[in-house]
């Protein structure tokens, strides 16, 4: 599962990617610097993992990770192949969620591709290109489905109605995620077409240092513009985050954050946001050899969670021994949790909860 960072050229995408992954993507003051999508595997900050480490004293600790992709800057006309349009749209199609970076800071030294700072215009530029690409997908599919619908095929007639609604919405400048469908319509007809504008999105407002805590007027305009989109808005001073990641000493980083009024780096919030945007959650295994965070989709069953460790665990699943993270923290050790009768034994139907500490019993 991966999240793609998108935006117009020179909005701070590559600088943000560098902060997140410490993989030093080129960051230069001209468009199309990041031509190949850079991929970084980023650790998900999780205070629960640190607490488990303190309680268990394992030989090693393994955090959960999320994949972040830095995609080339988009320009007007991308849906028709302008700039690196086709490549950009191909790369973004392969991601599962979108981190859309909007420039919400003034700086005469960093040129804007359209000559002035206007995050709403920038958002609309990218939205329009992505919507045009999705419209192309709808029109191609509609041609095929209409022929089947004319023969009286009931399923094709249902699909035609959904596609016409999509076409109407996209032509009106709506993203697919903002068009209302029933759960079945979405599952049967919308999801299989993998529309770019159906992917979950987080808008990252890149501000100057002084606006890192409360945002600014540009950010308020963005919040107002996206209020019907069911999207998250995150305020981040990307240049400042880059300065923080350059500091090797943890204490220095904390002092820097306190000076600007933050309790943790904004990049940590962004990584956790991307993780939740991808509909992922964490369960833990905790033993003397290793304390580890494992990534599973929300709604995974105990056998599916076991399969993330090894396919044999899923095939031969017998039961799971489960401790909630809160109980583990409260009682301080697995032995004390057992004594208190707080360890549960769960079967194949159990839906794993975020933070569960688990042992699996299996037989192959």
């Amino acid at each position: 599962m991966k999240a793609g960072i998108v935006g117009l050229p020179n909005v701070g995408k590559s600088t943000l990617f560098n902060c997140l992954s410490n993989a030093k993507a080129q960051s230069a003051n001209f468009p199309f610097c990041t031509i190949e999508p850079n991929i970084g595997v980023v650790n998900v900050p999780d205070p629960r993992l640190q607490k488990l480490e303190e309680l268990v004293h394992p030989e090693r600790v393994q955090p959960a990770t999320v994949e972040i992709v830095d995609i080339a800057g988009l320009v007007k006309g991308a849906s028709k192949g302008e700039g690196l349009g086709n490549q950009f749209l191909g790369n973004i199609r392969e991601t599962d969620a979108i981190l859309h970076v909007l420039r919400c800071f003034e700086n005469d030294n960093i040129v804007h591709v359209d000559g002035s700072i206007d995050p709403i215009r920038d958002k609309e530029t990218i939205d329009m290109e992505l919507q045009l690409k999705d419209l192309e997908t709808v029109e191609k599919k509609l041609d095929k489905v209409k022929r089947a619908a004319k023969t009286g095929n009931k399923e094709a007639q249902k699909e035609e109605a959904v596609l016409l609604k999509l076409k109407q919405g996209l032509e009106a400048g709506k993203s697919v995620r903002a068009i209302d469908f029933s759960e079945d319509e979405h599952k049967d007809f919308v999801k299989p077409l993998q529309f770019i504008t159906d992917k979950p999105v987080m808008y990252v407002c890149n501000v100057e240092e002084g606006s890192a805590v409360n945002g600014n007027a540009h950010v308020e305009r963005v919040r107002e513009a996206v209020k019907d989109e069911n999207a998250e808005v995150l305020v981040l001073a990307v240049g400042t985050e880059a300065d923080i990641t350059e500091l090797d000493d943890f204490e220095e980083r904390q002092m820097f954050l306190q000076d600007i009024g933050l309790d943790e780096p904004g990049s940590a919030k962004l990584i956790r946001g991307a993780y939740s945007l991808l509909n992922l959650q964490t369960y833990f295994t905790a033993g003397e050899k290793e304390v580890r965070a494992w990534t599973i989709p929300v709604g995974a069953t105990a056998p599916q969670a076991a399969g993330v460790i090894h396919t044999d665990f899923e095939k031969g699943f017998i039961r799971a021994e489960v401790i909630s993270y809160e109980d583990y923290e409260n009682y301080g050790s697995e032995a004390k949790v057992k004594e208190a009768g707080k360890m549960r034994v769960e079967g194949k139907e159990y839906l794993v909860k975020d933070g569960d500490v688990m042992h699996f019993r299996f037989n192959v």
Side-chain angles (χ1 to χ4, degrees), residues 108-138:
D108 295 340
N109 297 322
I110 301 173
V111 294
H112 188 289
V113 72
D114 286 329
S116 62
I117 309 305
D118 184 346
I120 308 305
R121 177 201 59 210
D122 296 355
K123 173 191 172 314
E124 285 167 357
T125 297
I126 287 201
D127 282 353
M128 189 174 72
E129 296 304 330
L130 302 183
Q131 287 159 6
L132 286 169
K133 204 65 190 170
D134 281 348
L135 189 58
E136 208 177 279
T137 305
V138 170

PDB file of all heavy atoms in Angstrom, residues 108-138:
ATOM      1  N   ASP A 108       9.490  35.255  -2.639  1.00  0.00           N
ATOM      2  CA  ASP A 108       9.848  35.751  -3.979  1.00  0.00           C
ATOM      3  C   ASP A 108      11.002  34.975  -4.600  1.00  0.00           C
ATOM      4  O   ASP A 108      11.207  35.020  -5.814  1.00  0.00           O
ATOM      5  CB  ASP A 108      10.216  37.250  -3.914  1.00  0.00           C
ATOM      6  CG  ASP A 108       9.013  38.093  -3.510  1.00  0.00           C
ATOM      7  OD1 ASP A 108       7.874  37.587  -3.669  1.00  0.00           O
ATOM      8  OD2 ASP A 108       9.204  39.224  -3.028  1.00  0.00           O
ATOM      9  N   ASN A 109      11.788  34.268  -3.776  1.00  0.00           N
ATOM     10  CA  ASN A 109      12.939  33.535  -4.311  1.00  0.00           C
ATOM     11  C   ASN A 109      12.563  32.196  -4.946  1.00  0.00           C
ATOM     12  O   ASN A 109      13.360  31.582  -5.641  1.00  0.00           O
ATOM     13  CB  ASN A 109      13.982  33.262  -3.202  1.00  0.00           C
ATOM     14  CG  ASN A 109      14.527  34.563  -2.655  1.00  0.00           C
ATOM     15  OD1 ASN A 109      14.737  35.511  -3.413  1.00  0.00           O
ATOM     16  ND2 ASN A 109      14.735  34.615  -1.349  1.00  0.00           N
ATOM     17  N   ILE A 110      11.333  31.722  -4.660  1.00  0.00           N
ATOM     18  CA  ILE A 110      10.910  30.438  -5.236  1.00  0.00           C
ATOM     19  C   ILE A 110       9.793  30.725  -6.225  1.00  0.00           C
ATOM     20  O   ILE A 110       8.700  31.156  -5.846  1.00  0.00           O
ATOM     21  CB  ILE A 110      10.434  29.452  -4.133  1.00  0.00           C
ATOM     22  CG1 ILE A 110      11.574  29.203  -3.144  1.00  0.00           C
ATOM     23  CG2 ILE A 110       9.968  28.133  -4.742  1.00  0.00           C
ATOM     24  CD1 ILE A 110      11.187  28.378  -1.931  1.00  0.00           C
ATOM     25  N   VAL A 111      10.092  30.526  -7.502  1.00  0.00           N
ATOM     26  CA  VAL A 111       9.122  30.899  -8.541  1.00  0.00           C
ATOM     27  C   VAL A 111       7.903  29.985  -8.466  1.00  0.00           C
ATOM     28  O   VAL A 111       8.001  28.818  -8.109  1.00  0.00           O
ATOM     29  CB  VAL A 111       9.737  30.804  -9.964  1.00  0.00           C
ATOM     30  CG1 VAL A 111      10.823  31.835 -10.146  1.00  0.00           C
ATOM     31  CG2 VAL A 111      10.252  29.409 -10.267  1.00  0.00           C
ATOM     32  N   HIS A 112       6.729  30.565  -8.773  1.00  0.00           N
ATOM     33  CA  HIS A 112       5.514  29.747  -8.889  1.00  0.00           C
ATOM     34  C   HIS A 112       5.238  29.565 -10.370  1.00  0.00           C
ATOM     35  O   HIS A 112       5.342  30.504 -11.148  1.00  0.00           O
ATOM     36  CB  HIS A 112       4.325  30.430  -8.203  1.00  0.00           C
ATOM     37  CG  HIS A 112       3.115  29.541  -8.122  1.00  0.00           C
ATOM     38  ND1 HIS A 112       2.374  29.207  -9.218  1.00  0.00           N
ATOM     39  CD2 HIS A 112       2.535  28.892  -7.073  1.00  0.00           C
ATOM     40  CE1 HIS A 112       1.393  28.391  -8.858  1.00  0.00           C
ATOM     41  NE2 HIS A 112       1.469  28.189  -7.543  1.00  0.00           N
ATOM     42  N   VAL A 113       4.872  28.357 -10.749  1.00  0.00           N
ATOM     43  CA  VAL A 113       4.679  28.031 -12.160  1.00  0.00           C
ATOM     44  C   VAL A 113       3.601  28.922 -12.800  1.00  0.00           C
ATOM     45  O   VAL A 113       3.646  29.212 -13.988  1.00  0.00           O
ATOM     46  CB  VAL A 113       4.367  26.511 -12.312  1.00  0.00           C
ATOM     47  CG1 VAL A 113       2.978  26.168 -11.808  1.00  0.00           C
ATOM     48  CG2 VAL A 113       4.577  26.024 -13.716  1.00  0.00           C
ATOM     49  N   ASP A 114       2.626  29.438 -11.994  1.00  0.00           N
ATOM     50  CA  ASP A 114       1.590  30.330 -12.535  1.00  0.00           C
ATOM     51  C   ASP A 114       1.802  31.786 -12.138  1.00  0.00           C
ATOM     52  O   ASP A 114       0.921  32.622 -12.326  1.00  0.00           O
ATOM     53  CB  ASP A 114       0.193  29.867 -12.086  1.00  0.00           C
ATOM     54  CG  ASP A 114      -0.249  28.620 -12.830  1.00  0.00           C
ATOM     55  OD1 ASP A 114       0.144  28.460 -13.994  1.00  0.00           O
ATOM     56  OD2 ASP A 114      -0.960  27.790 -12.231  1.00  0.00           O
ATOM     57  N   GLY A 115       2.950  32.094 -11.513  1.00  0.00           N
ATOM     58  CA  GLY A 115       3.312  33.489 -11.265  1.00  0.00           C
ATOM     59  C   GLY A 115       2.771  34.124 -10.001  1.00  0.00           C
ATOM     60  O   GLY A 115       3.144  35.241  -9.678  1.00  0.00           O
ATOM     61  N   SER A 116       1.842  33.456  -9.283  1.00  0.00           N
ATOM     62  CA  SER A 116       1.322  34.047  -8.033  1.00  0.00           C
ATOM     63  C   SER A 116       0.886  32.923  -7.095  1.00  0.00           C
ATOM     64  O   SER A 116       0.720  31.785  -7.513  1.00  0.00           O
ATOM     65  CB  SER A 116       0.127  34.958  -8.338  1.00  0.00           C
ATOM     66  OG  SER A 116      -0.913  34.198  -8.914  1.00  0.00           O
ATOM     67  N   ILE A 117       0.673  33.251  -5.823  1.00  0.00           N
ATOM     68  CA  ILE A 117       0.308  32.241  -4.822  1.00  0.00           C
ATOM     69  C   ILE A 117      -1.211  32.180  -4.695  1.00  0.00           C
ATOM     70  O   ILE A 117      -1.844  33.153  -4.303  1.00  0.00           O
ATOM     71  CB  ILE A 117       0.941  32.564  -3.437  1.00  0.00           C
ATOM     72  CG1 ILE A 117       2.444  32.810  -3.554  1.00  0.00           C
ATOM     73  CG2 ILE A 117       0.639  31.448  -2.423  1.00  0.00           C
ATOM     74  CD1 ILE A 117       3.225  31.690  -4.214  1.00  0.00           C
ATOM     75  N   ASP A 118      -1.781  31.030  -5.058  1.00  0.00           N
ATOM     76  CA  ASP A 118      -3.223  30.828  -4.952  1.00  0.00           C
ATOM     77  C   ASP A 118      -3.491  29.322  -4.845  1.00  0.00           C
ATOM     78  O   ASP A 118      -3.642  28.626  -5.853  1.00  0.00           O
ATOM     79  CB  ASP A 118      -3.937  31.406  -6.177  1.00  0.00           C
ATOM     80  CG  ASP A 118      -5.456  31.311  -6.052  1.00  0.00           C
ATOM     81  OD1 ASP A 118      -5.938  30.576  -5.162  1.00  0.00           O
ATOM     82  OD2 ASP A 118      -6.167  31.956  -6.854  1.00  0.00           O
ATOM     83  N   PRO A 119      -3.528  28.793  -3.604  1.00  0.00           N
ATOM     84  CA  PRO A 119      -3.666  27.341  -3.442  1.00  0.00           C
ATOM     85  C   PRO A 119      -4.961  26.762  -4.012  1.00  0.00           C
ATOM     86  O   PRO A 119      -4.985  25.612  -4.446  1.00  0.00           O
ATOM     87  CB  PRO A 119      -3.603  27.127  -1.918  1.00  0.00           C
ATOM     88  CG  PRO A 119      -3.835  28.453  -1.302  1.00  0.00           C
ATOM     89  CD  PRO A 119      -3.400  29.479  -2.293  1.00  0.00           C
ATOM     90  N   ILE A 120      -6.035  27.577  -4.035  1.00  0.00           N
ATOM     91  CA  ILE A 120      -7.309  27.064  -4.572  1.00  0.00           C
ATOM     92  C   ILE A 120      -7.184  26.863  -6.083  1.00  0.00           C
ATOM     93  O   ILE A 120      -7.603  25.839  -6.627  1.00  0.00           O
ATOM     94  CB  ILE A 120      -8.493  28.010  -4.243  1.00  0.00           C
ATOM     95  CG1 ILE A 120      -8.543  28.315  -2.739  1.00  0.00           C
ATOM     96  CG2 ILE A 120      -9.815  27.428  -4.722  1.00  0.00           C
ATOM     97  CD1 ILE A 120      -8.608  27.099  -1.828  1.00  0.00           C
ATOM     98  N   ARG A 121      -6.595  27.853  -6.752  1.00  0.00           N
ATOM     99  CA  ARG A 121      -6.364  27.707  -8.206  1.00  0.00           C
ATOM    100  C   ARG A 121      -5.474  26.492  -8.478  1.00  0.00           C
ATOM    101  O   ARG A 121      -5.729  25.700  -9.387  1.00  0.00           O
ATOM    102  CB  ARG A 121      -5.694  28.986  -8.749  1.00  0.00           C
ATOM    103  CG  ARG A 121      -5.325  28.923 -10.235  1.00  0.00           C
ATOM    104  CD  ARG A 121      -4.249  29.943 -10.568  1.00  0.00           C
ATOM    105  NE  ARG A 121      -3.053  29.706  -9.767  1.00  0.00           N
ATOM    106  CZ  ARG A 121      -2.208  30.672  -9.376  1.00  0.00           C
ATOM    107  NH1 ARG A 121      -2.434  31.915  -9.712  1.00  0.00           N
ATOM    108  NH2 ARG A 121      -1.148  30.364  -8.660  1.00  0.00           N
ATOM    109  N   ASP A 122      -4.409  26.334  -7.659  1.00  0.00           N
ATOM    110  CA  ASP A 122      -3.480  25.203  -7.858  1.00  0.00           C
ATOM    111  C   ASP A 122      -4.213  23.871  -7.682  1.00  0.00           C
ATOM    112  O   ASP A 122      -4.025  22.939  -8.455  1.00  0.00           O
ATOM    113  CB  ASP A 122      -2.340  25.271  -6.831  1.00  0.00           C
ATOM    114  CG  ASP A 122      -1.462  26.513  -7.019  1.00  0.00           C
ATOM    115  OD1 ASP A 122      -1.697  27.255  -7.995  1.00  0.00           O
ATOM    116  OD2 ASP A 122      -0.553  26.725  -6.196  1.00  0.00           O
ATOM    117  N   LYS A 123      -5.052  23.812  -6.629  1.00  0.00           N
ATOM    118  CA  LYS A 123      -5.827  22.583  -6.372  1.00  0.00           C
ATOM    119  C   LYS A 123      -6.736  22.288  -7.562  1.00  0.00           C
ATOM    120  O   LYS A 123      -6.815  21.150  -8.033  1.00  0.00           O
ATOM    121  CB  LYS A 123      -6.657  22.770  -5.094  1.00  0.00           C
ATOM    122  CG  LYS A 123      -7.627  21.626  -4.804  1.00  0.00           C
ATOM    123  CD  LYS A 123      -8.576  22.026  -3.675  1.00  0.00           C
ATOM    124  CE  LYS A 123      -9.676  21.041  -3.443  1.00  0.00           C
ATOM    125  NZ  LYS A 123     -10.402  20.526  -4.565  1.00  0.00           N
ATOM    126  N   GLU A 124      -7.400  23.331  -8.050  1.00  0.00           N
ATOM    127  CA  GLU A 124      -8.335  23.134  -9.170  1.00  0.00           C
ATOM    128  C   GLU A 124      -7.609  22.701 -10.444  1.00  0.00           C
ATOM    129  O   GLU A 124      -8.130  21.909 -11.223  1.00  0.00           O
ATOM    130  CB  GLU A 124      -9.159  24.416  -9.410  1.00  0.00           C
ATOM    131  CG  GLU A 124     -10.240  24.598  -8.337  1.00  0.00           C
ATOM    132  CD  GLU A 124     -10.871  25.978  -8.331  1.00  0.00           C
ATOM    133  OE1 GLU A 124     -10.440  26.848  -9.138  1.00  0.00           O
ATOM    134  OE2 GLU A 124     -11.785  26.206  -7.499  1.00  0.00           O
ATOM    135  N   THR A 125      -6.385  23.226 -10.641  1.00  0.00           N
ATOM    136  CA  THR A 125      -5.590  22.823 -11.813  1.00  0.00           C
ATOM    137  C   THR A 125      -5.363  21.313 -11.792  1.00  0.00           C
ATOM    138  O   THR A 125      -5.584  20.612 -12.781  1.00  0.00           O
ATOM    139  CB  THR A 125      -4.218  23.544 -11.826  1.00  0.00           C
ATOM    140  OG1 THR A 125      -4.435  24.949 -11.940  1.00  0.00           O
ATOM    141  CG2 THR A 125      -3.340  23.079 -12.973  1.00  0.00           C
ATOM    142  N   ILE A 126      -4.922  20.809 -10.650  1.00  0.00           N
ATOM    143  CA  ILE A 126      -4.640  19.368 -10.550  1.00  0.00           C
ATOM    144  C   ILE A 126      -5.933  18.565 -10.576  1.00  0.00           C
ATOM    145  O   ILE A 126      -6.040  17.577 -11.289  1.00  0.00           O
ATOM    146  CB  ILE A 126      -3.791  19.070  -9.291  1.00  0.00           C
ATOM    147  CG1 ILE A 126      -2.379  19.576  -9.547  1.00  0.00           C
ATOM    148  CG2 ILE A 126      -3.817  17.587  -8.942  1.00  0.00           C
ATOM    149  CD1 ILE A 126      -1.302  18.997  -8.714  1.00  0.00           C
ATOM    150  N   ASP A 127      -6.939  19.031  -9.813  1.00  0.00           N
ATOM    151  CA  ASP A 127      -8.225  18.319  -9.816  1.00  0.00           C
ATOM    152  C   ASP A 127      -8.756  18.167 -11.236  1.00  0.00           C
ATOM    153  O   ASP A 127      -9.230  17.102 -11.625  1.00  0.00           O
ATOM    154  CB  ASP A 127      -9.275  19.078  -8.980  1.00  0.00           C
ATOM    155  CG  ASP A 127      -9.085  18.874  -7.478  1.00  0.00           C
ATOM    156  OD1 ASP A 127      -8.236  18.042  -7.112  1.00  0.00           O
ATOM    157  OD2 ASP A 127      -9.767  19.560  -6.694  1.00  0.00           O
ATOM    158  N   MET A 128      -8.695  19.273 -12.010  1.00  0.00           N
ATOM    159  CA  MET A 128      -9.259  19.243 -13.356  1.00  0.00           C
ATOM    160  C   MET A 128      -8.544  18.220 -14.242  1.00  0.00           C
ATOM    161  O   MET A 128      -9.168  17.451 -14.971  1.00  0.00           O
ATOM    162  CB  MET A 128      -9.198  20.631 -14.001  1.00  0.00           C
ATOM    163  CG  MET A 128      -9.978  20.692 -15.302  1.00  0.00           C
ATOM    164  SD  MET A 128     -10.048  22.352 -15.965  1.00  0.00           S
ATOM    165  CE  MET A 128      -8.365  22.589 -16.525  1.00  0.00           C
ATOM    166  N   GLU A 129      -7.211  18.178 -14.128  1.00  0.00           N
ATOM    167  CA  GLU A 129      -6.453  17.217 -14.953  1.00  0.00           C
ATOM    168  C   GLU A 129      -6.805  15.773 -14.572  1.00  0.00           C
ATOM    169  O   GLU A 129      -6.955  14.908 -15.432  1.00  0.00           O
ATOM    170  CB  GLU A 129      -4.953  17.454 -14.796  1.00  0.00           C
ATOM    171  CG  GLU A 129      -4.464  18.806 -15.311  1.00  0.00           C
ATOM    172  CD  GLU A 129      -4.816  19.086 -16.770  1.00  0.00           C
ATOM    173  OE1 GLU A 129      -4.908  18.128 -17.563  1.00  0.00           O
ATOM    174  OE2 GLU A 129      -5.033  20.265 -17.109  1.00  0.00           O
ATOM    175  N   LEU A 130      -6.942  15.543 -13.271  1.00  0.00           N
ATOM    176  CA  LEU A 130      -7.268  14.184 -12.814  1.00  0.00           C
ATOM    177  C   LEU A 130      -8.706  13.827 -13.192  1.00  0.00           C
ATOM    178  O   LEU A 130      -8.988  12.699 -13.594  1.00  0.00           O
ATOM    179  CB  LEU A 130      -7.068  14.060 -11.301  1.00  0.00           C
ATOM    180  CG  LEU A 130      -5.663  14.372 -10.755  1.00  0.00           C
ATOM    181  CD1 LEU A 130      -5.597  14.134  -9.256  1.00  0.00           C
ATOM    182  CD2 LEU A 130      -4.589  13.536 -11.449  1.00  0.00           C
ATOM    183  N   GLN A 131      -9.610  14.813 -13.076  1.00  0.00           N
ATOM    184  CA  GLN A 131     -11.010  14.567 -13.452  1.00  0.00           C
ATOM    185  C   GLN A 131     -11.140  14.290 -14.952  1.00  0.00           C
ATOM    186  O   GLN A 131     -11.916  13.409 -15.359  1.00  0.00           O
ATOM    187  CB  GLN A 131     -11.873  15.773 -13.058  1.00  0.00           C
ATOM    188  CG  GLN A 131     -12.104  15.886 -11.553  1.00  0.00           C
ATOM    189  CD  GLN A 131     -12.501  17.297 -11.112  1.00  0.00           C
ATOM    190  OE1 GLN A 131     -12.710  18.182 -11.930  1.00  0.00           O
ATOM    191  NE2 GLN A 131     -12.585  17.509  -9.798  1.00  0.00           N
ATOM    192  N   LEU A 132     -10.369  15.016 -15.772  1.00  0.00           N
ATOM    193  CA  LEU A 132     -10.416  14.794 -17.227  1.00  0.00           C
ATOM    194  C   LEU A 132      -9.957  13.377 -17.575  1.00  0.00           C
ATOM    195  O   LEU A 132     -10.512  12.726 -18.458  1.00  0.00           O
ATOM    196  CB  LEU A 132      -9.552  15.825 -17.959  1.00  0.00           C
ATOM    197  CG  LEU A 132     -10.124  17.244 -18.041  1.00  0.00           C
ATOM    198  CD1 LEU A 132      -9.070  18.228 -18.541  1.00  0.00           C
ATOM    199  CD2 LEU A 132     -11.347  17.283 -18.954  1.00  0.00           C
ATOM    200  N   LYS A 133      -8.932  12.914 -16.855  1.00  0.00           N
ATOM    201  CA  LYS A 133      -8.432  11.549 -17.089  1.00  0.00           C
ATOM    202  C   LYS A 133      -9.498  10.529 -16.695  1.00  0.00           C
ATOM    203  O   LYS A 133      -9.735   9.545 -17.403  1.00  0.00           O
ATOM    204  CB  LYS A 133      -7.144  11.331 -16.284  1.00  0.00           C
ATOM    205  CG  LYS A 133      -6.258  10.250 -16.850  1.00  0.00           C
ATOM    206  CD  LYS A 133      -5.721  10.619 -18.235  1.00  0.00           C
ATOM    207  CE  LYS A 133      -5.029   9.456 -18.899  1.00  0.00           C
ATOM    208  NZ  LYS A 133      -4.716   9.733 -20.306  1.00  0.00           N
ATOM    209  N   ASP A 134     -10.173  10.772 -15.559  1.00  0.00           N
ATOM    210  CA  ASP A 134     -11.246   9.868 -15.126  1.00  0.00           C
ATOM    211  C   ASP A 134     -12.430   9.899 -16.099  1.00  0.00           C
ATOM    212  O   ASP A 134     -13.068   8.872 -16.355  1.00  0.00           O
ATOM    213  CB  ASP A 134     -11.720  10.235 -13.712  1.00  0.00           C
ATOM    214  CG  ASP A 134     -10.777   9.717 -12.629  1.00  0.00           C
ATOM    215  OD1 ASP A 134      -9.892   8.894 -12.946  1.00  0.00           O
ATOM    216  OD2 ASP A 134     -10.921  10.143 -11.458  1.00  0.00           O
ATOM    217  N   LEU A 135     -12.699  11.092 -16.645  1.00  0.00           N
ATOM    218  CA  LEU A 135     -13.793  11.230 -17.614  1.00  0.00           C
ATOM    219  C   LEU A 135     -13.514  10.373 -18.854  1.00  0.00           C
ATOM    220  O   LEU A 135     -14.414   9.722 -19.399  1.00  0.00           O
ATOM    221  CB  LEU A 135     -13.961  12.710 -17.993  1.00  0.00           C
ATOM    222  CG  LEU A 135     -15.175  13.086 -18.835  1.00  0.00           C
ATOM    223  CD1 LEU A 135     -16.480  12.681 -18.153  1.00  0.00           C
ATOM    224  CD2 LEU A 135     -15.181  14.596 -19.108  1.00  0.00           C
ATOM    225  N   GLU A 136     -12.252  10.372 -19.270  1.00  0.00           N
ATOM    226  CA  GLU A 136     -11.821   9.545 -20.414  1.00  0.00           C
ATOM    227  C   GLU A 136     -12.128   8.062 -20.125  1.00  0.00           C
ATOM    228  O   GLU A 136     -12.636   7.340 -20.986  1.00  0.00           O
ATOM    229  CB  GLU A 136     -10.307   9.733 -20.562  1.00  0.00           C
ATOM    230  CG  GLU A 136      -9.750   9.558 -21.941  1.00  0.00           C
ATOM    231  CD  GLU A 136      -8.237   9.852 -21.902  1.00  0.00           C
ATOM    232  OE1 GLU A 136      -7.842  11.039 -21.923  1.00  0.00           O
ATOM    233  OE2 GLU A 136      -7.476   8.878 -21.808  1.00  0.00           O
ATOM    234  N   THR A 137     -11.813   7.629 -18.884  1.00  0.00           N
ATOM    235  CA  THR A 137     -12.072   6.238 -18.474  1.00  0.00           C
ATOM    236  C   THR A 137     -13.565   5.938 -18.534  1.00  0.00           C
ATOM    237  O   THR A 137     -13.981   4.886 -19.032  1.00  0.00           O
ATOM    238  CB  THR A 137     -11.553   6.004 -17.022  1.00  0.00           C
ATOM    239  OG1 THR A 137     -10.181   6.367 -16.971  1.00  0.00           O
ATOM    240  CG2 THR A 137     -11.719   4.570 -16.575  1.00  0.00           C
ATOM    241  N   VAL A 138     -14.397   6.882 -18.037  1.00  0.00           N
ATOM    242  CA  VAL A 138     -15.860   6.687 -18.027  1.00  0.00           C
ATOM    243  C   VAL A 138     -16.377   6.571 -19.454  1.00  0.00           C
ATOM    244  O   VAL A 138     -17.169   5.678 -19.778  1.00  0.00           O
ATOM    245  CB  VAL A 138     -16.575   7.876 -17.318  1.00  0.00           C
ATOM    246  CG1 VAL A 138     -18.085   7.805 -17.513  1.00  0.00           C
ATOM    247  CG2 VAL A 138     -16.261   7.869 -15.837  1.00  0.00           C
TER     248      VAL A 138
END
